[in-house]
Amino acid sequence: MHRYTDSPLAEHSRALIARLQTPEGAYPASPTFSAYTGYSWFRDGAFIADGMSSAGEAASAERFFDWCAGVLDARAEQISWIVAETAAGRPPAGARMLPARFTFSGADGDDEWWDFQLDGYGTWLWAVVEHAARHGADPGRWLPAIASTVDYLVASWDRPCYDWWEEHSEHVHVSTLACVAAGLDAVARAGLVDARRAEEALAACAAIRTLVADRGTGSGHLVKWLGSTAVDGSLAAALAPLGFVAPASPEGAATIDLLERHLTVDGGTHRYLGDTFFGGGRWPLLSCFLGLAQLAAGNRARAVELYDWAASTATPQLDLPEQVGGHLIAPRMRAEWVERWGSVATPLLWSHAMLLRLGVELDRDADSSHSAPTTTSVLEGLAR
């Protein structure tokens, strides 16, 4: 039986991520792309850690969680100040909130960036709980950082901030809310915080769900930001692996349908209509998120197609890019970005991690299908 996790591309992905992980435990976004070099993002890194954890690379994931905890522990006083100022009705400006990315040593960046993003902090909480459940790991050494993160998110979850793509800081983004809710719900239910924090985290999750139902949903599907009618490729993650919305639910099915019809061409998924970044190409990692959603909704055949498209974007050296051309939304904009930052980021570690994650789930689905007893065999067993 073909196993996705045993393919040369999967083996290369695991080895590449492990080789590029820094001594501090950070995952570089891309080793050579000019705008990303020297930095690690909580969001990208948490999904990379989850991909590595799911592929059996537990030690690598834990080194990343150690790095996250170190970054947060070093900012415990800043987080306490943010929480206190917010409680007093003086929420700090975005520039004084936690940034989305840090240097490998855990320092703030020294260049301008679109930094205030909340999604990564929810995603790291979710990834820790997933990893601990998957491997029976002890999260004890991360508990102080987890507590600080819960405080930060409970105080700040409803604030506008930049989205996954470091754009539109004036909006509250549904994919961001899904990341935050998934993280808060996970640590509260896993018993990784005290009773007060657990109660506050679950209350925030309930408020997030109410808000998304009221303003983050349109025509029965999730939308890009509160009050919008558009969709975004990142919304697939809200269905799977985050599980904020059940993929097989009417809302989940409608979201999948719209992502397929509006953003996906020949298996490649765009970020959103109107995207101009490097011309607005299709992203392998988004095809993998959509594949996870399709698989969780029961559509294995489509998940395989999405996996195959993502795998087809690999270079002869088996490196996966951030995005590819061939169906650009704004082709005239591509040259401008190439001149500014160079060629598209290749390899992008997040792309490799999502391919690993989808491959693991496809293998697990195949194993469960083959091991599940058929109706005939069950009846034969009863007859005996």
Side-chain angles (χ1 to χ4, degrees):
M1 181 179 67
H2 169 72
R3 295 191 64 81
Y4 292 91
T5 47
D6 294 335
S7 70
L9 181 53
E11 293 177 3
H12 175 75
S13 296
R14 287 191 296 269
L16 176 76
I17 294 171
R19 175 170 57 83
L20 292 177
Q21 188 172 18
T22 72
E24 299 90 348
Y27 290 123
S30 181
T32 57
F33 188 61
S34 62
Y36 299 168
T37 52
Y39 286 98
S40 181
W41 275 254
F42 262 55
R43 173 191 56 251
D44 307 25
F47 281 121
I48 294 167
D50 179 64
M52 289 292 274
S53 171
S54 72
E57 302 290 340
S60 174
E62 292 181 8
R63 287 175 55 213
F64 176 74
F65 299 145
D66 288 341
W67 178 80
C68 292
V71 168
L72 290 160
D73 290 343
R75 289 164 177 78
E77 290 187 7
Q78 179 186 358
I79 293 171
S80 295
W81 175 81
I82 291 169
V83 171
E85 287 293 289
T86 302
R90 300 184 297 268
R96 304 196 70 178
M97 301 293 282
L98 297 180
R101 66 177 195 167
F102 299 89
T103 67
F104 300 154
S105 65
D108 290 7
D110 57 6
D111 55 348
E112 290 189 11
W113 198 259
W114 307 271
D115 250 335
F116 175 35
Q117 300 167 42
L118 293 169
D119 48 62
Y121 295 96
T123 309
W124 108 270
L125 294 180
W126 167 83
V128 165
V129 175
E130 288 288 300
H131 172 77
R134 187 181 290 127
H135 294 284
D138 179 8
R141 65 185 186 270
W142 307 314
L143 293 183
I146 289 171
S148 292
T149 306
V150 169
D151 292 344
Y152 179 67
L153 292 177
V154 166
S156 310
W157 67 265
D158 57 349
R159 290 188 53 167
C161 65
Y162 289 108
D163 63 7
W164 279 29
W165 319 125
E166 282 130 359
E167 297 175 347
H168 298 293
S169 62
E170 72 277 17
H171 290 295
V172 176
H173 303 275
V174 173
S175 56
T176 296
L177 292 174
C179 291
V180 171
L184 290 176
D185 184 78
V187 295
R189 296 188 186 280
L192 301 188
V193 290
D194 58 57
R196 175 186 65 81
R197 285 188 173 93
E199 182 179 356
E200 292 178 349
L202 292 175
C205 289
I208 289 170
R209 290 190 175 280
T210 298
L211 183 61
V212 171
D214 290 345
R215 299 183 55 211
T217 306
S219 301
H221 60 81
L222 297 177
V223 296
K224 185 172 173 64
W225 59 63
L226 299 184
S228 174
T229 58
V231 289
D232 190 283
S234 61
L235 291 172
L239 281 58
L242 297 176
F244 177 72
V245 169
S249 68
E251 185 180 11
T255 302
I256 290 173
D257 177 65
L258 217 58
L259 292 175
E260 289 277 12
R261 290 192 292 111
H262 284 202
L263 299 181
T264 306
V265 178
D266 297 330
T269 303
H270 291 280
R271 298 195 301 175
Y272 56 89
L273 296 178
D275 186 11
T276 62
F277 182 57
F278 280 88
R282 294 165 295 168
W283 289 49
L285 70 91
L286 290 179
S287 292
C288 291
F289 274 118
L290 185 55
L292 288 166
Q294 287 280 24
L295 184 64
N299 193 348
R300 177 185 175 86
R302 181 55 177 163
V304 168
E305 291 174 351
L306 291 160
Y307 179 99
D308 288 345
W309 181 87
S312 76
T313 69
T315 69
Q317 294 75 36
L318 298 182
D319 289 340
L320 291 172
E322 183 173 61
Q323 64 169 289
V324 297
H327 190 274
L328 297 179
I329 292 173
R332 294 182 180 179
M333 293 295 296
R334 184 178 183 278
E336 179 179 323
W337 283 101
V338 171
E339 182 178 353
R340 180 179 179 184
W341 281 351
S343 300
V344 168
T346 310
L348 189 81
L349 271 65
W350 192 6
S351 296
H352 284 276
M354 296 318 303
L355 194 84
L356 284 175
R357 186 67 160 85
L358 179 54
V360 167
E361 293 304 319
L362 286 169
D363 284 348
R364 180 177 291 118
D365 178 71
D367 291 343
S368 64
S369 297
H370 287 134
S371 63
T374 64
T375 303
T376 301
S377 66
V378 171
L379 292 175
E380 287 175 349
L382 291 174
R384 287 194 297 269

